[in-house]
Every structure is written in C-alpha cells, then in structure tokens.
Amino acid sequence: MISTTAIALDATLAKAVAGERLSPDEGLQLLDSHDLTALGRAADAVTRRLHPESYRTYNIDRNINYTNVCSAVCDFCAFYRKPKSPEGYVLERDVLLQKIQETVDLGGDQILMQGGMNPDLKIEWYEELLADIKSHFPQVNIHGFSPPEIHALTKVAKLPLRTVLERLKAAGLGSLPGGGAEILVDRVRAAMTRGKVMTDDWLNVCRVWHEMGGRGSATMMFGHLETLPERIEHLERLRQLQDETGGFTAFICWTFQPDHTDMAHISRAGSFDYLKTQAVARLYLDNIPNIQSSWVTQGLKIGQIALCYGANDMGSLMIEENVVASAGTVHYLTLEQIRGAIAELGYVPRQRNVFYELIDSPPELAPVW
Ligand code: SF4
C-alpha cells in the first residue's frame, strides 16, 4: 500500500514538473524525502523541459586566485592568510597574464578571478588590473570578484556600491561569480564567518549589478551548520531576487569540504545529499535557467550523474583551482573526460560562454543517405 507521504511527495513533484511554483513548505517536503529516484526523475523532467536540446554544455576557463590575503575569518576556509602573514601573496602581473595566455592557448574564453578580501588593494589597483587584462586579451571574459569582495571593496574605497561596480565594469569586468554565498541566512553566516558580508548585502551586490545590465551566477555551499529549512530559505532568497532582476544565469551547489579547516570535525556530506539537494534546487528555482554540476567537489562519476539530477551543464574545465583544493579533495578532469561524460549520457557535448551561448562549431551531422 502506498503511504500518504509518498502520495503527497508525488503530488508536489508533479506540480514542479508541470511548471508550477513550489512553496517553501513544499521545498522542505522534498528535502526531507529520501526518495532520491523520484526527486531525480522529476528534476530531470524539468531540465528536459527547460533544455530540450540534444546537447549539454561545458565551459573552459581558469580560476585565478589573485590574492590569498583576507580581512575576514571564515571557519570553513583553508585558503586565506591574514594581512601581514608571510604566506600571503598577491599574484605578480606577469604571472597572472601568463596564466591567461595558457587559458587562451587551451581554447578558454574566460577567467574566473576571485581572491581574499585584501585591504591593501585599492579600487585603482582593480581598475588597472582589469584594463591590463583587457588590453592583452580583449576576447576573454573576466568573470570576477564575488559579492563579498565587491562589498569589502566599497568599504576600502569608501564609495557607494553602484559607483564601485560601474568603475569595475568600465575597466573591463564582464560578469559576477556568485561565490561567498555559502548559506544566505544570517544565523548560519554569523556562526561561521567574521568580517564577511551578510545576507542582504550579498544579495544587494547582485541586485545592483543586475540592474546595471550585468549577469552572474548564484551558488550554495551546504552540508555544514545549516538546517534543511535554511537551505530552502537560501533558495527562496535567490528565487525572489531572480524574480526582481532576472540576472542570474546559473546556479551551482556543492558540499562543504572540511579538511584543513576549523570545521574539520563536521563530516563531509555524501553523494546522496549532494544529488538530492541539487535536484530540489532544480525543482525550486523555476526562474534560474541553468544548473551546473559540481564535479570539482564530487568527482567525475557523481559529476556526470548530476546531469540526470537537474544539471544541464558540466561547468568548467578548471585549469586551476586553489580554494576548494586547500580544503580537501579536489578533482581534475581533462576536456576529453568532460566531453566523454556528456556523450556517454547520450548528449552532444558543446562548449559555451558565460552567457550560455554556444561558441564551438556544431558537430558535423552524419550524412543521411
Ligand atoms: S572564504 Fe573568502 S572571505 Fe572567507 S576567509 Fe576565505 S578568502 Fe576570506
């Protein structure tokens, strides 16, 4: 006999598959469920409705961590060094440009530039950096500076948020990565970070950037101090902002990587929780078009299967990754592995840019005799 819980779950899943918006209570009902198969099937149906194409995408970019010096303290971060630390660095310009050249040589069209909140770097330093990169590589999109970095820069520069964003955009900033979101609930943020932007200000950086015509991604790092209702609250805040601005191109979630951090006592969330949470995100975020797999934290096998649990994109062939690598397992894949993982699922692998426009040549169609 089918339980009333299963019947209620089926009704909620059917609602999402049909394109109806889920309430926070319904989102929580899904997260509370252990029926991963049902959640995955529904998330995949929504993905196929939103992306009926025969392909799935990936991107080629490089994560450049221009500085590890940070004025904040995040208990989950093994990457940062305090100001004045002998282990602190700011990448030399020629090293940074060389990294971009290597990215371009590998067919990349973008750099993801993120770092700590370095109080010694003024807005003029950022403007000069962006202009320098653009003068050497005008074709490369600079996906740069997460909302916490932008927010911290407004404090260093003593300038309004919009002015800071306008100056960075004028200097060459192309799009905004949604890093540093962790869980967008102040209780959780206050419990594990000090000196870092809180929820409303994180969202407001994205809001103003979107109002200026900018685009960017949204993220969630889960599996640490948050409750399941707080995961839903995070998704709800993103969905509300997306209703307002429409500026998020994609959502990426990953599990907290505890090694070498001050939260190493928290056990690593498993693949079940990762796939379930991503599937629920696909069902809940009805207004964010793309979901990226996080194979960097989950590995090739789960990263591939994530394409059957709500993701339509394999994310980036990351030529370099330092932040997650500092906190435990990090996986590296070759372009062939990413393309092969997509192809094995029956999709054509296609390269895209940050705006999800296809930028490779279409594969040759087999002749029809
Ligand atoms: S997560 Fe970011 S803001 Fe927090 S300590 Fe690390 S570099 Fe600084």
Side-chain angles (χ1 to χ4, degrees), residues 41-258:
R41 196 182 303 119
D44 195 45
V46 171
T47 307
R48 288 172 189 266
R49 167 163 55 75
L50 295 173
H51 302 279
E53 310 86 16
S54 59
Y55 60 80
R56 292 294 180 253
T57 46
Y58 62 91
N59 187 26
I60 300 178
D61 74 1
R62 182 171 196 151
N63 193 353
I64 298 180
N65 301 117
Y66 60 96
T67 181
N68 66 345
V69 175
C70 189
S71 56
V73 175
C74 297
D75 296 336
F76 55 84
C77 178
F79 167 74
Y80 80 102
R81 295 294 179 270
K82 290 186 174 157
K84 312 257 182 289
S85 163
E87 295 176 346
Y89 73 77
V90 177
L91 275 189
E92 297 291 341
R93 188 65 51 85
D94 57 338
V95 173
L96 196 143
L97 293 175
Q98 180 58 33
K99 286 175 183 283
I100 302 174
Q101 184 62 59
E102 290 166 7
T103 309
V104 170
D105 292 344
L106 283 166
D109 71 314
Q110 171 170 286
I111 53 165
L112 166 58
M113 200 153 56
Q114 294 187 114
M117 306 188 312
N118 188 331
D120 293 330
L121 302 180
K122 312 294 179 214
I123 189 166
E124 292 79 11
W125 183 90
Y126 286 89
E127 289 176 307
E128 201 206 313
L129 170 72
L130 291 164
D132 206 7
I133 294 171
K134 278 306 205 186
S135 72
H136 285 84
F137 305 100
Q139 79 281 22
V140 168
N141 178 59
I142 304 173
H143 189 50
F145 314 131
S146 60
E149 291 164 87
I150 300 282
H151 182 259
L153 186 53
T154 65
K155 305 295 176 200
V156 172
K158 298 187 174 53
L159 288 169
L161 172 60
R162 187 175 290 271
T163 306
V164 167
L165 287 171
E166 283 172 350
R167 284 178 61 168
L168 296 178
K169 188 177 183 184
L173 182 61
S175 52
L176 205 70
E182 289 89 53
I183 292 290
L184 290 168
V185 174
D186 283 353
R187 182 201 75 81
V188 181
R189 303 182 78 74
M192 59 185 192
T193 71
R194 283 155 302 286
K196 190 173 187 177
V197 66
M198 298 300 265
T199 302
D200 286 348
D201 284 330
W202 189 98
L203 290 164
N204 203 40
V205 172
C206 297
R207 178 182 288 107
V208 173
W209 177 250
H210 296 172
E211 284 170 359
M212 290 164 45
R215 294 290 174 269
S217 54
T219 68
M220 175 167 77
M221 182 188 77
F222 65 95
H224 40 84
L225 303 183
E226 86 287 357
T227 62
L228 294 187
E230 286 167 337
R231 280 189 209 177
I232 294 297
E233 189 175 336
H234 177 104
L235 298 178
E236 176 64 19
R237 294 299 301 268
L238 292 177
R239 193 170 73 176
Q240 284 174 6
L241 181 57
Q242 183 73 342
D243 277 346
E244 250 182 77
T245 67
F248 290 125
T249 55
F251 172 80
I252 312 115
C253 64
W254 63 88
T255 51
F256 166 54
Q257 304 295 304

Side-chain angles (χ1 to χ4, degrees), residues 257-277:
Q257 304 295 304
D259 296 352
H260 313 301
T261 74
D262 290 343
M263 290 162 60
H265 57 283
I266 295 178
S267 42
R268 191 183 295 266
S271 304
F272 180 91
D273 198 7
Y274 167 70
L275 290 173
K276 183 172 78 161
T277 302

